[in-house]
Amino acid sequence: MVIVTRGDYIWVEPVSGRDFDVAIGAKVITAEGRKIQVRDDDGKESWLQPERRIKAMHPSSIQGVEDMISLGDLHEAGILRNLLIRYNENLIYTYTGSILVAVNPYQILPIYTAEQIKLYKDRKIGELPPHIFSIGDNSYTHMKRFSQDQCIVISGESGAGKTESTKLILQYLAAISGKHSWIEQQILEANPILEAFGNAKTVRNDNSSRFGKYIDIHFSKSGVIEGAKIEQYLLEKSRIVSQNSDERNYHIFYCMLAGLTKEEKIKLHLKEASDYRYLIGGKCITCEGRDDTAEFADIRSAMKVLTFSDAEIWEVLKVLALLLHLGNIKTKAAVINNLDATEISEMSHVETASSVLGVNRKSLIEAITTKTIFAHGETVVSTISREQSVDVRDAFSKGIYGRLFIWIVSKINSAIYRPKAGAHTSIGVLDIFGFENFDSNSFEQFCINYANENLQQFFVQHIFKLEQEEYNLEAISWRHIEFIDNQDALDLIAIKPLNIMSLIDEESRFPKGTDTTMLAKLHKTHATNRNYLRPKSDLNASFGFNHFAGVVFYDGRGFLDKNRDTFSADLLQLIEISGNKFIQHLFREDITMGNETRKRAPTLSSQFKKSLDSLMKTLGNCAPFFVRCIKPNELKKPMIFDRELCCRQLRYSGMMETIRIRRAGYPIRHTFREFVERYRFLISGIPPPHKTDCRAATSRICQAVLGKSDYQLGKSKVFLKDAHDLFLEQERDRVLTKKILILQRNIRAWYYRRRFKKMKSSVIVLQRNVRGFLQRRRYQKMRTGYMRLQALIRSRVLAHRFKHLRGHVVGLQAVCRGYLVRRQVRRRLWAVIKIQSHVRRMIAQRIYKKFKFAQRHKLEALRLRDQEERELKKSGNKRYKEIAEKNYRERLQAIAAKGMEMEREDRLIIDRKKERIENAAKRKDEPLNDSEVVEALFDFLPDNGSEAPPPTAFRYLPNPPKHDEDNMSNSPDNMAPMDVEDLSEYKFQKFAATYFTGNANHQYSRRPLKSSLLPLVAPVDQLAAQALWITILRFMGDLPEPRYHSMERDNTSVMSKVTATLGRHFAKSKEFQELGLENMDGYNSINMKQKTRSIRHKLVSLTLKRKNKLGDDVRRRLEGDDSAADSYQSWLEARPTSNLEKLHFIIGHGILRAELRDEIYCQICKQLTNNPSKSSHARGWILLSLCVGCFAPSERFVKHLRAFIREGPPGYAPYCEDRLKRTFNNGTRNQPPSWLELQATKSKKPIILPITFMDGNTKNLQADSATTSRELCNQLADKIGLKDQFGFSLYIALFDKVSSLGSGTEHVMDAISQCEQYAKEQGAQERNAPWRLFFRKVNSTYL
């Protein structure tokens, strides 16, 4: 047994005999005698008995290495542990020379960024940590440097990450090629299409490639991508018609059904994925982590990039829909003329499929349910059984999809392949299926494993070449290394005469050939071959084959049918008469081929062998790089490492051949420095490696310990056998155990000597410090005394100097101040003289104008007097002078009176201007008073106290005692504050940047909106948003009222106008009539003769019964109302409106149109952001407080609004937030604020509501805008001690009408608002509306 100590790492051999159990690494925790306790790599602790086989672990295997060639323990367990250590640290890539091993992490790692691409560019393998980018970069660098084609072979099991690795290689090559052209984008866009049509969800992988592909990327001499070509191998067509449990069909079917529009689905007669038999065979139609709708959009976009026309894309979708309809054709067995026959039980899918095919229904049914036999020049049509009919239908579907896939690949190649006459280099990326061994293996697995046999031989030859290069590089003598060559297996499968594939092809061409006759030929021909395994019983229809990765048994049933891969003549005849040109194009080769030629067409195995030979020839001409993908677990979860599964994949991938080749030579390798560092203790006189010649020291150690055994010294390494490594470790343990005792004795002596010296030096230092401390403290006291004395002396000197200097400064200040005052007086005197001169000039000018005016009119009067004298004299009047003189004096008096009137008017104008200037100067520095703004806004309300009083209709009710109001515990104002929630991320600016349309921003603006802030669908909503914006600007004082308006007075309420605009057609609807019959019973006895009441009156009566149906109906009818624009234009331009009318207009739209609520809030918040006007800012917050009490925003905007309110002024923020919470909890109001609410908002006080009991007593309760009847009932019950509230509810009375509010979620203030509006329509004022609230219990409905 190996000598171990605590902390050593060892290999523990397995006790089970399972094929994939290998040694596991472990760390020694405790060693007691010959028993040791270890903790293995899986975290399990156990005690090992002495008979348990263990082996010392090489130092390179303890922490893991980036290149497993440098592992000292180069065996399965060493490789497996190295991958485990790196996988647990999220290091998924590891080198084995130039081979990259990639373990699927099943999570997104941040290692594929643009920085990583730049980091790995122009770096050799080994310079940086392992990465798939390094493989891509080295292949690209070698191609440019040596002008040789390169290839990257990516292999592994399904789910190991081959497809993702291929995509990463392509993305890296596109990124570093230097020129980002359209062809690079086309090559990258080919991946989504190929994945959609060739990948599917399997049990092992959610995106499993069900075909192999070789992407050959062509580069110019300068290294720029010029084109590419894609080859596909062996598509799994059987998946079209059947899937295993928990698996899906190809992705394209589910993406198509999820991504097509409703109209496109109707054209193709498609439904959901769960309705089609071909898609539910695995009982799984969804795939976690995949968005089929988004991927379908990506697929269509990629097809456009790759020059698929719209017509071609539609034809592809039609073919896919055809396959789904074919799969849903239901058949049933029948007997016709004593022969098995088939009947179609449902014709709907047959009709659809025949219409897509372009044939009549009868032709399709005959092709599926009958067969045509040609014998001796005659044609015989016979029926077939139901099972045969299903097989024909499925063969039809598989054939169509297989040819569609080939057409798509050729279409992609036509877009990205650019053949040129000149020489070019290329990099090929091979993404091909790994070795497969299932419980049931068929023809597909046989072809796949044949391909892997070829790739394994290619891989082994490459590894052997690398090993020989290693020996030549180190310049050691070596003999020919033997390794397992699988050429015999390849000869047996497809190379030698009478190989397996040729026998299968031969039997496929015989008309009467069956799977049984094929197996008989195989058994007879190859029974003696060591690679061929015949079953023990002939009843077992299978055969075995000894592959490089192990024995695989193949089920021979179905081999010939899959190998023939042909269509029946009936199906080809159906396609030949088809009217669908696209499907005929897919089968053009089959249609043009005659029957005899079709019989001699190459089989699937021969086609696959030909393609594979071409691929191997291509790979042989390239310098290869290998990527081995490993799947860590079957659960598809991160950080889970299944050792047995990974070991199996390592064997299947051929990585063990690397081990065998290494072990045939010298598997244990150490650099000289590592060897000296570890084994220099075995002989004396060997210093540390940094002080000696490591090669010479290694030679001395090997000669002394190993003698003349077979080991080799290279240029930088020593090459050993396994036995040498074991012997060296045992010798090292023995020598170390012996010398450790000597070392311990000397260390203990050194330790205690050092401890004594340290204690002695510490005591001396302590004494020195204590003495120094005492002297320093004495010195500090003396120093402090002297410093205080110095400070006193210096203060006296400085005080004397300050007084002397202050006297001089005061004298200088007096002189300067006198000079400045005299200069100021002179300037003011000059200014006064200047002003006086101008004033005197103006007075003189005014007097001059007055004299001029008087003189002009006096001359005019004289002229008129002379004219009158002449006229009177001419007429013969003797008193002409007296009359003319009298008129002259009267004119002079009129002129004097007019002058005095003008002088008084001028004096009055001057006084007004002077008063305005003085008032403006006084108000200039006064702060804005919120109460004044509120008074100005609510000037239509009387000032009758701080709290809202009840209506005057209840003035006769006795006032309740004072304590009855003070002890209200259930009032809304006494509610607990809102939970403190972090809303720092919900900024209004962020919301505006995300959702605002056009160029609108989140800041204050006075310009009209060209469109709504938020996207609104209905044109009427757009008009309403613009009208609301102008109304909000006018309410906040940012926009003037209309200048020209109608002088006619309009007594109609704004809410009536809004309701009429939004619900013009509602009154004519049948629903309105039924609603009226249902809810007007309580009012039939009241005023039945008023048949011509307005729509508004009817709505008031209806809403008193809580049946407001306006919102839903308006939403349906508003978009067709052409008069809405005229209504809004009339509102904005007809006349100035009061603040109350503006409030009703804004809040009425928010109540009636839920689509406009966020728009209203966003407009208000926009005007409050960075508003420079204090008055406008205050008006905006008042408007916001009224809105949050009537309707709530949407869920999308509520958090942004709350965050905006919290940042508002202290006087409004808590008030608005509490009202918003109440509105959000109790729902949106149905009516605008009542007179009581406006009075309460003005004072920010609660509303006082008197509730009358049936005995005449009254209780006053506090309420707010969102108070419901249930809340008031609960308050009353608490006040009077009522325990059982069953049957009690609230009632409201108006005139002679009574309506029940119930005890539910009805808003009390809605009913009060309706009563006030109804009272106004009857000619009364809102504040005097005679409504009354009652609380009573009834046994039946009371109206």
Side-chain angles (χ1 to χ4, degrees):
M1 186 175 181
V2 179
I3 299 175
V4 296
T5 58
R6 182 179 180 182
D8 286 348
Y9 285 85
I10 60 174
W11 294 110
V12 181
E13 295 295 333
V15 293
S16 64
R18 294 196 297 266
D19 290 341
F20 300 104
D21 270 356
V22 295
I24 188 171
K27 181 179 180 181
V28 178
I29 301 175
T30 308
E32 298 180 0
R34 300 187 65 188
K35 292 176 60 178
I36 59 175
Q37 185 183 14
V38 298
R39 181 186 296 113
D40 61 22
D41 292 336
D42 292 336
K44 300 177 182 178
E45 296 185 3
S46 60
W47 286 89
L48 302 182
Q49 301 301 323
E51 60 272 11
R52 187 72 177 272
R53 290 192 304 160
I54 62 173
K55 181 182 177 182
M57 186 181 290
H58 194 277
S60 60
S61 298
I62 294 176
Q63 298 298 330
V65 295
E66 294 181 348
D67 189 349
M68 292 190 289
I69 288 293
S70 62
L71 281 176
D73 299 318
L74 190 58
H75 45 63
E76 285 184 342
I79 291 178
L80 202 62
R81 186 176 192 276
N82 193 72
L83 294 178
L84 170 62
I85 291 172
R86 293 178 62 77
Y87 179 74
N88 290 334
E89 297 175 357
N90 279 331
L91 302 173
I92 63 173
Y93 293 116
T94 310
Y95 290 132
T96 304
S98 62
I99 305 166
L100 181 70
V101 181
V103 184
N104 194 338
Y106 287 121
Q107 59 178 319
I108 302 300
L109 298 178
I111 57 175
Y112 306 108
T113 60
E115 290 75 14
Q116 294 285 325
I117 294 176
K118 294 178 182 178
L119 184 65
Y120 279 88
K121 187 176 182 182
D122 298 328
R123 296 296 186 96
K124 295 181 180 179
I125 291 178
E127 291 186 19
L128 292 174
H131 201 290
I132 196 167
F133 288 167
S134 181
I135 298 296
D137 184 74
N138 277 266
S139 64
Y140 180 75
T141 303
H142 288 183
M143 180 198 70
K144 291 183 64 178
R145 182 179 300 169
F146 304 114
S147 297
Q148 182 184 5
D149 293 344
Q150 309 288 314
C151 67
I152 302 173
V153 181
I154 302 174
S155 62
E157 279 195 7
S158 177
K162 302 187 299 297
T163 302
E164 291 300 319
S165 298
T166 302
K167 288 193 287 188
L168 291 171
I169 288 288
L170 294 177
Q171 291 171 5
Y172 183 81
L173 293 176
I176 66 169
S177 62
K179 180 181 178 183
H180 300 291
S181 61
W182 180 246
I183 190 67
E184 295 174 4
Q185 183 65 26
Q186 286 181 316
I187 294 172
L188 295 177
E189 290 293 341
N191 263 323
I193 302 175
L194 293 177
E195 285 188 15
F197 286 88
N199 289 25
K201 177 187 183 298
T202 65
V203 177
R204 297 182 175 183
N205 185 7
D206 289 344
N207 189 29
S208 176
S209 296
R210 309 314 300 162
F211 70 105
K213 63 176 177 288
Y214 182 72
I215 305 175
D216 197 21
I217 307 172
H218 303 152
F219 294 84
S220 64
K221 291 183 179 180
S222 60
V224 177
I225 294 178
E226 289 185 331
K229 189 175 183 182
I230 299 174
E231 295 287 343
Q232 60 89 18
Y233 305 99
L234 202 63
L235 176 70
E236 184 186 17
K237 291 185 285 188
S238 61
R239 182 168 293 273
I240 295 295
V241 298
S242 64
Q243 305 90 37
N244 294 329
S245 179
D246 200 28
E247 293 189 354
R248 297 204 314 176
N249 208 320
Y250 289 106
H251 293 323
I252 185 60
F253 291 104
Y254 306 94
C255 294
M256 176 183 71
L257 293 176
L260 285 177
T261 63
K262 187 176 180 181
E263 293 75 14
E264 291 173 332
K265 279 189 175 183
I266 293 173
K267 289 180 181 179
L268 297 175
H269 304 282
L270 293 176
K271 300 178 182 177
E272 301 301 323
S274 57
D275 296 326
Y276 298 100
R277 194 186 68 83
Y278 279 171
L279 303 185
I280 60 174
K283 297 181 175 58
C284 176
I285 60 175
T286 59
C287 183
E288 184 179 355
R290 294 185 66 89
D291 185 351
D292 291 331
T293 304
E295 290 188 8
F296 184 70
D298 295 339
I299 294 166
R300 274 192 161 178
S301 175
M303 295 178 83
K304 290 289 186 65
V305 172
L306 287 161
T307 69
F308 284 77
S309 65
D310 291 336
E312 289 174 335
I313 295 174
W314 183 247
E315 290 296 336
V316 170
L317 297 178
K318 286 172 63 177
V319 171
L320 297 175
L322 168 64
L323 297 179
L324 296 180
H325 291 304
L326 286 175
N328 274 19
I329 294 177
K330 295 180 180 179
T331 59
K332 61 181 180 179
V335 177
I336 300 176
N337 297 328
N338 295 326
L339 294 176
D340 290 336
T342 306
E343 292 182 355
I344 306 297
S345 59
E346 187 179 344
M347 292 296 176
S348 59
H349 291 284
V350 177
E351 291 283 358
T352 306
S354 60
S355 65
V356 175
L357 276 171
V359 298
N360 57 52
R361 183 178 66 181
K362 182 180 178 182
S363 300
L364 178 59
I365 293 174
E366 289 177 351
I368 295 176
T369 60
T370 62
K371 66 177 179 179
T372 303
I373 302 174
F374 300 95
H376 305 291
E378 295 183 358
T379 303
V380 179
V381 178
S382 64
T383 60
I384 57 178
S385 65
R386 180 181 179 276
E387 292 74 15
Q388 292 174 327
S389 175
V390 171
D391 291 340
V392 170
R393 180 199 63 189
D394 291 345
F396 192 28
S397 300
K398 291 188 289 185
I400 292 175
Y401 191 82
R403 286 161 177 79
L404 174 65
F405 187 76
I406 294 172
W407 179 82
I408 288 174
V409 174
S410 64
K411 182 69 177 178
I412 293 174
N413 284 333
S414 66
I416 64 176
Y417 183 49
R418 302 285 191 272
K420 291 191 175 181
H424 65 271
T425 53
S426 66
I427 297 178
V429 182
L430 178 62
D431 174 9
I432 199 163
F433 10 68
F435 184 83
E436 293 185 352
N437 185 4
F438 302 136
D439 294 335
S440 177
N441 302 289
S442 187
F443 181 74
E444 293 87 356
Q445 282 69 43
F446 183 73
C447 294
I448 288 171
N449 291 341
Y450 170 56
N452 278 274
E453 287 283 356
N454 281 274
L455 292 175
Q456 174 65 11
Q457 187 185 49
F458 180 71
F459 175 69
V460 169
Q461 290 175 352
H462 177 70
I463 295 300
F464 179 68
K465 182 180 178 182
L466 292 179
E467 189 72 6
Q468 289 181 339
E469 288 178 356
E470 175 77 9
Y471 290 157
N472 292 332
L473 185 65
E474 290 291 331
I476 66 172
S477 59
W478 59 281
R479 57 184 175 82
H480 181 68
I481 299 173
E482 298 292 340
F483 64 93
I484 299 174
D485 190 0
N486 64 340
Q487 186 61 45
D488 291 341
L490 294 174
D491 293 341
L492 178 59
I493 294 175
I495 297 179
K496 284 187 176 181
L498 297 179
N499 56 70
I500 294 176
M501 280 194 169
S502 64
L503 292 176
I504 295 173
D505 282 350
E506 179 183 294
E507 201 65 19
S508 298
R509 300 190 195 286
F510 288 149
K512 295 184 179 181
T514 63
D515 297 327
T516 304
T517 58
M518 176 200 71
L519 286 173
K521 283 187 178 181
L522 292 177
H523 294 339
K524 180 180 178 181
T525 308
H526 302 297
T528 58
N529 193 301
R530 63 184 181 87
N531 289 323
Y532 185 85
L533 301 177
R534 180 174 180 173
K536 295 180 180 180
S537 173
D538 291 337
L539 298 177
N540 189 351
S542 64
F543 68 93
F545 197 92
N546 186 17
H547 290 285
F548 73 94
V551 176
V552 180
F553 280 90
Y554 298 99
D555 188 351
R557 290 170 294 186
F559 256 58
L560 295 185
D561 289 339
K562 293 178 180 178
N563 186 41
R564 289 171 180 142
D565 192 32
T566 56
F567 258 20
S568 68
D570 298 317
L571 295 179
L572 284 175
Q573 180 65 26
L574 181 68
I575 292 174
E576 194 169 347
I577 65 173
S578 171
N580 191 318
K581 301 301 181 183
F582 182 75
I583 293 181
Q584 285 188 341
H585 177 71
L586 297 180
F587 288 87
R588 64 186 183 279
E589 294 182 0
D590 300 86
I591 294 174
T592 56
M593 191 184 303
N595 288 333
E596 296 300 324
T597 308
R598 194 178 302 120
K599 290 179 181 179
R600 294 193 300 271
T603 61
L604 184 61
S605 61
S606 61
Q607 294 176 25
F608 182 72
K609 181 177 179 298
K610 183 179 179 182
S611 299
L612 188 60
D613 291 341
S614 174
L615 172 65
M616 297 309 300
K617 183 178 179 181
T618 302
L619 295 180
N621 295 328
C622 300
F625 290 86
F626 294 91
V627 178
R628 295 304 197 215
C629 297
I630 303 296
K631 178 169 63 174
N633 59 77
E634 295 283 8
L635 303 176
K636 297 181 281 191
K637 293 184 179 179
M639 305 310 292
I640 299 177
F641 194 86
D642 187 339
R643 291 170 52 81
E644 186 173 347
L645 174 65
C646 295
C647 182
R648 175 168 61 85
Q649 293 177 83
L650 286 174
R651 289 186 189 175
Y652 286 177
S653 66
M655 292 294 292
M656 295 301 107
E657 288 303 315
T658 304
I659 299 172
R660 294 191 187 100
I661 293 173
R662 290 287 295 271
R663 292 209 171 280
Y666 298 96
I668 308 300
R669 305 168 190 192
H670 298 280
T671 63
F672 293 139
R673 184 181 183 87
E674 291 175 351
F675 189 84
V676 172
E677 181 71 30
R678 186 165 182 80
Y679 299 113
R680 65 188 179 89
F681 313 106
L682 299 183
I683 62 175
S684 59
I686 303 296
H690 61 278
K691 295 183 179 180
T692 185
D693 182 2
C694 292
R695 193 179 193 285
T698 301
S699 178
R700 286 180 56 193
I701 295 171
C702 291
Q703 290 176 2
V705 180
L706 301 179
K708 296 183 179 180
S709 57
D710 185 14
Y711 65 87
Q712 294 281 348
L713 295 179
K715 291 182 179 179
S716 61
K717 297 178 183 178
V718 57
F719 293 76
L720 305 172
K721 297 288 188 179
D722 283 333
H724 297 155
D725 183 60
L726 178 60
F727 180 72
L728 286 171
E729 286 296 324
Q730 290 175 344
E731 283 295 304
R732 180 175 178 274
D733 290 338
R734 184 184 62 79
V735 172
L736 285 178
T737 303
K738 180 180 177 181
K739 293 185 177 181
I740 280 173
L741 296 175
I742 300 172
L743 186 62
Q744 287 177 345
R745 183 176 67 233
N746 286 281
I747 287 176
R748 289 189 182 114
W750 169 81
Y751 171 73
Y752 284 106
R753 281 195 300 271
R754 189 183 67 168
R755 182 181 175 190
F756 168 74
K757 290 179 180 179
K758 187 180 292 185
M759 291 176 65
K760 182 180 178 181
S761 62
S762 298
V763 170
I764 294 172
V765 171
L766 182 62
Q767 290 176 344
R768 182 173 67 245
N769 285 316
V770 170
R771 293 182 185 127
F773 169 73
L774 295 175
Q775 292 297 328
R776 280 193 300 274
R777 187 170 64 177
R778 181 169 173 269
Y779 166 75
Q780 289 289 346
K781 289 182 179 179
M782 293 175 62
R783 184 171 177 273
T784 302
Y786 281 111
M787 289 177 67
R788 289 177 179 173
L789 180 61
Q790 288 176 349
L792 183 61
I793 295 173
R794 288 169 181 163
S795 67
R796 290 186 178 180
V797 172
L798 290 175
H800 177 72
R801 289 179 181 175
F802 171 74
K803 291 179 181 178
H804 182 71
L805 182 61
R806 184 174 180 276
H808 289 291
V809 170
V810 170
L812 179 61
Q813 287 178 343
V815 174
C816 293
R817 286 170 182 162
Y819 166 75
L820 293 174
V821 168
R822 285 191 294 274
R823 189 178 65 177
Q824 186 177 10
V825 168
R826 285 196 300 271
R827 288 182 178 177
R828 287 185 177 180
L829 181 61
W830 178 85
V832 167
I833 294 172
K834 191 74 173 178
I835 292 172
Q836 286 177 349
S837 64
H838 284 287
V839 170
R840 289 177 183 136
R841 177 179 58 80
M842 291 173 63
I843 294 172
Q845 288 175 348
R846 189 173 296 169
I847 294 173
Y848 168 74
K849 289 180 181 179
K850 187 186 299 183
F851 286 159
K852 185 177 179 181
F853 173 80
Q855 184 64 25
R856 186 170 65 248
H857 284 78
K858 187 176 181 180
L859 292 175
E860 179 66 20
L862 288 173
R863 187 184 64 79
L864 291 174
R865 187 189 64 177
D866 295 340
Q867 183 178 354
E868 285 180 353
E869 285 182 358
R870 286 194 300 270
E871 290 177 355
L872 291 173
K873 184 177 181 182
K874 196 174 186 180
S875 61
N877 193 334
K878 297 180 179 180
R879 297 178 58 208
Y880 64 91
K881 283 189 178 182
E882 183 181 351
I883 294 172
E885 184 66 24
K886 180 180 179 182
N887 291 337
Y888 170 70
R889 295 187 183 278
E890 289 177 355
R891 289 190 184 97
L892 290 179
Q893 290 178 359
I895 291 170
K898 187 175 182 181
M900 293 176 65
E901 182 66 25
M902 291 175 62
E903 186 176 354
R904 281 197 303 271
E905 288 179 359
D906 291 342
R907 225 177 258 152
L908 184 59
I909 291 172
I910 292 171
D911 291 342
R912 287 177 181 172
K913 289 183 178 179
K914 183 177 180 182
E915 183 180 0
R916 280 200 295 269
I917 292 173
E918 291 175 354
N919 292 335
K922 290 179 182 178
R923 292 196 305 269
K924 182 179 180 181
D925 299 325
E926 289 182 359
L928 184 67
N929 190 347
D930 287 348
S931 62
E932 293 180 0
V933 177
V934 172
E935 289 294 336
L937 284 177
F938 296 101
D939 54 356
F940 53 85
L941 298 176
D943 187 8
N944 53 356
S946 60
E947 291 189 357
T952 55
F954 303 107
R955 57 185 177 272
Y956 59 85
L957 294 176
N959 291 325
K962 188 67 177 179
H963 67 272
D964 203 24
E965 297 179 6
D966 297 336
N967 297 328
M968 295 179 181
S969 59
N970 293 328
S971 64
D973 287 350
N974 293 330
M975 293 177 60
M978 295 183 69
D979 296 335
V980 178
E981 181 181 356
D982 185 13
L983 300 176
S984 57
E985 296 182 0
Y986 299 94
K987 298 293 185 183
F988 177 67
Q989 181 180 359
K990 183 177 180 181
F991 180 87
T994 305
Y995 296 105
F996 278 15
T997 61
N999 297 324
N1001 57 21
H1002 69 289
Q1003 294 187 356
Y1004 171 84
S1005 174
R1006 299 181 64 179
R1007 297 179 178 178
L1009 290 178
K1010 295 182 179 179
S1011 62
S1012 60
L1013 296 180
L1014 299 177
L1016 299 175
V1017 178
V1020 176
D1021 288 344
Q1022 292 280 353
L1023 292 174
Q1026 297 180 23
L1028 285 167
W1029 171 254
I1030 295 175
T1031 306
I1032 290 172
L1033 290 182
R1034 289 176 178 174
F1035 181 85
M1036 296 176 66
D1038 296 328
L1039 200 67
E1041 293 291 335
R1043 183 177 301 177
Y1044 305 103
H1045 54 82
S1046 173
M1047 299 303 294
E1048 297 180 1
R1049 184 170 180 177
D1050 189 0
N1051 295 324
T1052 307
S1053 66
V1054 176
M1055 195 62 187
S1056 299
K1057 294 180 179 179
V1058 174
T1059 304
T1061 302
L1062 298 180
R1064 180 165 286 108
H1065 304 295
F1066 180 64
K1068 300 178 181 179
S1069 66
K1070 182 179 179 181
E1071 184 181 4
F1072 178 89
Q1073 302 298 332
E1074 294 176 355
L1075 185 65
L1077 293 175
E1078 180 183 348
N1079 298 286
M1080 290 291 288
D1081 294 342
Y1083 311 109
N1084 287 336
S1085 60
I1086 303 173
N1087 203 8
M1088 293 296 293
K1089 296 182 180 180
Q1090 296 181 0
K1091 300 296 183 178
T1092 58
R1093 292 175 63 192
S1094 66
I1095 295 176
R1096 177 61 189 163
H1097 292 177
K1098 295 180 181 179
L1099 287 176
V1100 168
S1101 300
L1102 286 174
T1103 50
L1104 285 174
K1105 285 298 293 176
R1106 315 184 309 277
K1107 296 292 184 179
N1108 191 348
K1109 300 288 289 183
L1110 183 60
D1112 295 337
D1113 189 82
V1114 167
R1115 190 173 293 105
R1116 294 192 298 268
R1117 291 169 169 80
L1118 183 58
E1119 296 179 5
D1121 192 356
D1122 296 333
S1123 62
D1126 297 336
S1127 299
Y1128 287 126
Q1129 186 69 22
S1130 175
W1131 161 258
L1132 295 175
E1133 303 296 338
R1135 62 182 181 84
T1137 54
S1138 65
N1139 289 329
L1140 178 60
E1141 290 175 324
K1142 294 185 182 74
L1143 281 176
H1144 279 202
F1145 183 82
I1146 297 168
I1147 296 175
H1149 275 82
I1151 290 173
L1152 297 176
R1153 291 291 285 172
E1155 292 84 352
L1156 293 174
R1157 292 171 188 169
D1158 285 356
E1159 177 73 20
I1160 293 172
Y1161 280 121
C1162 287
Q1163 290 184 7
I1164 297 173
C1165 294
K1166 173 180 172 65
Q1167 286 304 95
L1168 290 176
T1169 304
N1170 297 335
N1171 192 325
S1173 172
K1174 294 181 180 180
S1175 173
S1176 175
H1177 191 263
R1179 286 169 173 261
W1181 276 102
I1182 293 172
L1183 176 59
L1184 183 61
S1185 66
L1186 289 170
C1187 289
V1188 297
C1190 293
F1191 56 88
S1194 66
E1195 291 286 350
R1196 179 181 66 177
F1197 185 61
V1198 63
K1199 290 189 177 181
H1200 296 84
L1201 179 59
R1202 288 178 57 194
F1204 183 85
I1205 289 174
R1206 287 186 181 180
E1207 296 177 356
Y1212 285 100
Y1215 179 69
C1216 292
E1217 188 168 11
D1218 182 64
R1219 284 171 66 87
L1220 177 59
K1221 179 186 177 183
R1222 295 274 298 150
T1223 304
F1224 208 84
N1225 290 338
N1226 291 353
T1228 302
R1229 294 273 301 276
N1230 291 324
Q1231 295 296 328
S1234 64
W1235 181 88
L1236 280 177
E1237 291 177 74
L1238 296 176
Q1239 190 71 25
T1241 304
K1242 174 182 177 182
S1243 60
K1244 296 182 185 178
K1245 293 293 182 66
I1247 303 170
I1248 306 299
L1249 294 178
I1251 311 295
T1252 304
F1253 296 92
M1254 298 311 296
D1255 59 357
N1257 291 328
T1258 302
K1259 292 287 185 180
N1260 281 8
L1261 299 182
Q1262 290 185 358
D1264 61 6
S1265 298
T1267 299
T1268 62
S1269 56
R1270 179 186 292 119
E1271 292 175 347
L1272 286 184
C1273 289
N1274 291 339
Q1275 289 188 50
L1276 285 171
D1278 292 341
K1279 275 181 173 294
I1280 64 177
L1282 181 62
K1283 296 181 179 180
D1284 184 8
Q1285 300 183 33
F1286 179 76
F1288 284 92
S1289 61
L1290 281 178
Y1291 290 83
I1292 188 167
L1294 177 65
F1295 298 127
D1296 54 350
K1297 301 177 183 179
V1298 179
S1299 178
S1300 172
L1301 300 181
S1303 58
T1305 59
E1306 298 298 327
H1307 288 85
V1308 177
M1309 300 311 299
D1310 276 348
I1312 295 175
S1313 177
Q1314 293 172 35
C1315 291
E1316 290 181 356
Q1317 294 176 51
Y1318 185 75
K1320 181 179 180 181
E1321 291 171 357
Q1322 299 300 321
Q1325 294 183 354
E1326 292 96 331
R1327 62 172 298 185
N1328 296 325
W1331 54 265
R1332 298 178 67 182
L1333 287 172
F1334 294 95
F1335 183 68
R1336 61 167 294 175
K1337 179 177 183 181
V1338 294
N1339 295 324
S1340 60
T1341 305
Y1342 177 74
L1343 296 178

